[in-house]
Amino acid sequence: MKEASPGYRPVTIFVVVIGVIALVALVTVAVVQNKPLTQKYKYGIVLDAGSSHTALYIYKWPAEKDNNTGRVTQANETCKVKGPGISSYASNPQGAGESLRACMLEAKKFIPASRQEETPLYLGATAGMRLLNMENASASDSVFKAVEEALDSYTFSYRGARLLTGLEEGAFGWVTVNYLDGRLTQGQKTIGALDLGGASTQISFVSPNFDGSESPNNLMMFRLYGNDYNLYSHSFLCYGKDQALRQTLAHQTQSGQSIVNDPCFHSKYSKVWEYSNLYDTPCVADRKPDNSPTNFTLNGSGNFQQCQQLIKSIFNFTQCKYSRCSFNGVFQPELQGSFGAFSAYYYVLDFLNLADTSRVSLEKAKDKLKEYCATPWPELQKQHPKTKEKYLSEYCFSGTYILTLLTEGYNFTADTYKEITVIGKMQGSDAGWTLGYMLNLTNMIPAEAPDRPPIAYPSYVSIMVITGIVLGIVLLFIVYTHSRTQCSNTQKIV
Ligand SMILES: Nc1ccn([C@@H]2O[C@H](COP(=O)(O)OP(=O)(O)OP(=O)(O)O)[C@@H](O)[C@H]2O)c(=O)n1
Ligand SMILES: [Ca+2]
């Protein structure tokens, strides 16, 4: 009898080979082929022409996924334009355009040449230009014209320079912080936004009872990723921290004094102000006293409580034609939820070590500020030799202004104060209106939730790999049982 070979039948070998090939192909496709390709980026540039300075932001996002959610981030270290804000160039408009040059060249270096022509470039101006426009419309037109000519001369796709309304400025700041915090895509609870600039300040939040009927001018409606928002927002012109300071100085110089003892500045601090300079802004121009001397000397007295009293005097609480108001007769619905506070809220509270509101309560912040304001100027200069003198001299005023604005102005309490997070950067991007502005103008936040693949990429890969492994086990099992049967058959034959 011919001895039967214990080998496999050709059919079995065929099945095993095909099975192994299929398995390898499956896992390869799942893991290798679907790996994201090397990322290519698109870019966008926004210039924030604020009252105190201009900053250039470059944003980037994956080239294939314009519409994807939460994928736009800040690409550069903010480029700060040297010199003052563009509104300070009223008598030399060309200078405003030229001032942007260094940052524009930095953007040219940063963005790959092949992407530059398609890169949108926007400039938005805020309260400084709003004030210049009120004061001298033709001067503000000339500044815009000079800035436009300058920006149009670069390879980028220039899309215009314009004055933002206060409502837009507040609303886009709100979009930015909620976008960066990933709160818009699935309709999560949003956070309010508090922005403090040099010339104006904004408060924006969603309140369940606010639909705009009581005060339509404070309503900004958004439909983002399939969710509707009725956003309350208000911008207080002349209540940014530089203009607020001028208001307190105007309050103290109504009788044309030549000496002012100011509690918001440190003892032994002294500065000479020109009347014509102090009153050269629409925020106080109409209050300039007649027959004032050329100058007055401001002497600091460093007293937090008196400073707070002085600051209160620039808010008007007497008239309110609505169900509720913040100040100056402006409607404000009941505060709701948590808030993110940025710009000067961050610069000032961070410097004063008061930014961590979860550790530093409102009461503690007041106590610390009281001590800080009482520190004599020479001592403070010794402690902070590197801080710019203008900033350093004003932190007592600014800190006191912030606490007063929040509590007396917006009605934050010790409890709701804890709900404020002071934000510098969020996910590597500066908090401010610029990102929200660009997302809006480039239609990068869809009104409806974008179609997504039914299974997310990681789940897809996992399912493919697990299926592959299971199929492999089944295959091995078949081969094993098959060879066992063959073996026992062989043994029987033997
Ligand atoms: N490290 C810094 C940077 C800025 N500031 C001050 O913070 C205020 C606000 O700055 P910013 O948010 O840049 O205001 P702008 O955008 O220029 O003003 P606005 O939004 O009103 O147009 C200004 O008084 C500025 O002098 C500060 O105290 N410390
Ligand atoms: Ca600003």
Side-chain angles (χ1 to χ4, degrees), residues 70 176-188 426-427:
T176 300
V177 291
N178 284 285
Y179 177 88
L180 290 175
D181 212 23
R183 290 174 186 258
L184 299 177
T185 48
Q186 265 114 51
Q188 295 99 313
M426 235 173 158
Q427 325 285 347

Side-chain angles (χ1 to χ4, degrees), residues 364-376:
K364 245 193 198 162
K366 282 184 189 166
D367 286 346
K368 281 181 146 192
L369 204 50
K370 203 165 146 186
E371 205 183 306
Y372 179 81
C373 288
T375 314

Side-chain angles (χ1 to χ4, degrees), residues 368-393:
K368 281 181 146 192
L369 204 50
K370 203 165 146 186
E371 205 183 306
Y372 179 81
C373 288
T375 314
W377 177 239
E379 205 172 300
L380 209 63
Q381 278 184 304
K382 244 184 264 159
Q383 285 168 16
H384 303 277
K386 289 193 186 124
T387 312
K388 260 198 202 170
E389 180 168 325
K390 181 187 148 26
Y391 289 162
L392 189 63
S393 66

